[in-house]
Coordinates of all heavy atoms in Angstrom, one line a residue:
Chain A
R826 N 9.5 -43.6 -4.4 CA 9.1 -42.2 -4.5 C 8.3 -42.0 -5.8 O 8.2 -40.9 -6.3 CB 10.4 -41.3 -4.5 CG 11.1 -41.3 -3.2 CD 12.1 -40.2 -3.1 NE 11.7 -38.9 -3.3 CZ 10.9 -38.2 -2.5 NH1 10.5 -38.7 -1.4 NH2 10.6 -36.9 -2.8
K827 N 7.6 -43.0 -6.3 CA 6.7 -42.8 -7.3 C 5.5 -42.0 -6.8 O 4.9 -41.2 -7.6 CB 6.2 -44.1 -7.9 CG 7.2 -44.7 -8.9 CD 6.5 -45.9 -9.7 CE 7.5 -46.4 -10.7 NZ 7.8 -47.8 -10.4
L828 N 5.2 -42.1 -5.6 CA 4.1 -41.4 -5.0 C 4.7 -40.7 -3.7 O 5.3 -41.3 -2.9 CB 3.0 -42.3 -4.6 CG 1.7 -41.6 -4.1 CD1 1.1 -40.8 -5.3 CD2 0.8 -42.6 -3.5
Y829 N 4.5 -39.4 -3.6 CA 5.0 -38.7 -2.4 C 3.9 -37.8 -1.9 O 3.1 -37.3 -2.6 CB 6.3 -38.0 -2.6 CG 6.4 -37.1 -3.8 CD1 6.2 -35.7 -3.6 CD2 6.7 -37.6 -5.1 CE1 6.2 -34.9 -4.7 CE2 6.7 -36.7 -6.2 CZ 6.5 -35.3 -6.0 OH 6.5 -34.5 -7.0
F830 N 4.0 -37.5 -0.6 CA 2.9 -36.8 0.0 C 3.5 -36.1 1.2 O 4.3 -36.5 2.0 CB 1.9 -37.9 0.5 CG 0.9 -37.4 1.4 CD1 -0.2 -36.7 0.9 CD2 0.9 -37.6 2.8 CE1 -1.2 -36.2 1.7 CE2 -0.1 -37.1 3.6 CZ -1.2 -36.4 3.0
N831 N 3.1 -34.8 1.4 CA 3.4 -34.1 2.6 C 2.1 -33.4 3.1 O 1.3 -32.9 2.3 CB 4.4 -32.9 2.4 CG 5.6 -33.4 1.7 OD1 5.7 -33.5 0.5 ND2 6.6 -33.7 2.6
L832 N 2.0 -33.4 4.4 CA 0.9 -32.7 5.0 C 1.4 -31.9 6.2 O 2.2 -32.4 7.0 CB -0.2 -33.7 5.5 CG -1.3 -33.2 6.4 CD1 -2.2 -32.3 5.5 CD2 -2.1 -34.3 7.0
D833 N 1.0 -30.7 6.3 CA 1.3 -29.8 7.4 C 0.0 -29.2 7.9 O -0.7 -28.6 7.2 CB 2.3 -28.7 7.0 CG 3.7 -29.2 7.1 OD1 4.2 -29.4 8.2 OD2 4.3 -29.3 6.0
V834 N -0.1 -29.3 9.2 CA -1.3 -28.6 9.9 C -0.7 -27.7 10.9 O 0.2 -28.0 11.6 CB -2.2 -29.6 10.6 CG1 -3.4 -28.9 11.2 CG2 -2.7 -30.7 9.6
F835 N -1.2 -26.4 10.9 CA -0.5 -25.5 11.8 C -1.6 -24.6 12.4 O -2.7 -24.4 12.0 CB 0.5 -24.6 11.0 CG -0.1 -23.7 10.0 CD1 -0.6 -22.5 10.3 CD2 -0.3 -24.2 8.7 CE1 -1.2 -21.7 9.3 CE2 -0.9 -23.4 7.7 CZ -1.3 -22.1 8.0
R836 N -1.1 -23.9 13.5 CA -1.9 -23.0 14.3 C -0.9 -22.0 14.9 O 0.1 -22.4 15.3 CB -2.5 -23.9 15.4 CG -3.4 -23.2 16.3 CD -3.9 -24.3 17.3 NE -4.9 -23.7 18.2 CZ -4.7 -23.0 19.3 NH1 -3.4 -22.8 19.6 NH2 -5.6 -22.6 20.0
R837 N -1.3 -20.8 14.8 CA -0.4 -19.7 15.4 C -1.3 -18.8 16.2 O -2.2 -18.2 15.7 CB 0.3 -19.0 14.3 CG 1.1 -17.9 14.8 CD 1.9 -17.2 13.8 NE 1.1 -16.1 13.1 CZ 1.7 -15.0 12.6 NH1 2.9 -14.8 12.6 NH2 0.9 -14.1 12.1
F838 N -0.9 -18.7 17.4 CA -1.6 -17.8 18.3 C -0.7 -16.6 18.7 O 0.3 -16.8 19.2 CB -2.0 -18.5 19.6 CG -2.7 -17.6 20.6 CD1 -4.0 -17.2 20.4 CD2 -2.0 -17.3 21.8 CE1 -4.6 -16.3 21.3 CE2 -2.7 -16.4 22.7 CZ -4.0 -16.0 22.5
R839 N -1.2 -15.4 18.2 CA -0.3 -14.2 18.5 C -0.9 -13.5 19.7 O -2.1 -13.3 19.8 CB -0.3 -13.3 17.3 CG 0.5 -13.9 16.2 CD 0.9 -12.8 15.2 NE -0.3 -12.2 14.6 CZ -0.2 -11.1 13.8 NH1 1.0 -10.6 13.6 NH2 -1.3 -10.5 13.3
D840 N -0.1 -13.1 20.6 CA -0.6 -12.5 21.8 C 0.2 -11.2 22.0 O 1.4 -11.1 21.7 CB -0.4 -13.4 23.0 CG -1.4 -13.0 24.1 OD1 -2.2 -12.1 23.9 OD2 -1.3 -13.6 25.2
G841 N -0.4 -10.2 22.6 CA 0.3 -9.0 22.9 C 0.4 -8.1 21.7 O 1.3 -7.3 21.6

Side-chain angles (χ1 to χ4, degrees):
Chain A
R826 295 191 55 72
K827 279 193 178 120
L828 187 69
Y829 54 95
F830 171 77
N831 303 86
L832 170 70
D833 273 290
V834 181
F835 64 90
R836 182 179 185 278
R837 179 176 83 150
F838 177 71
R839 291 199 299 173
D840 202 8

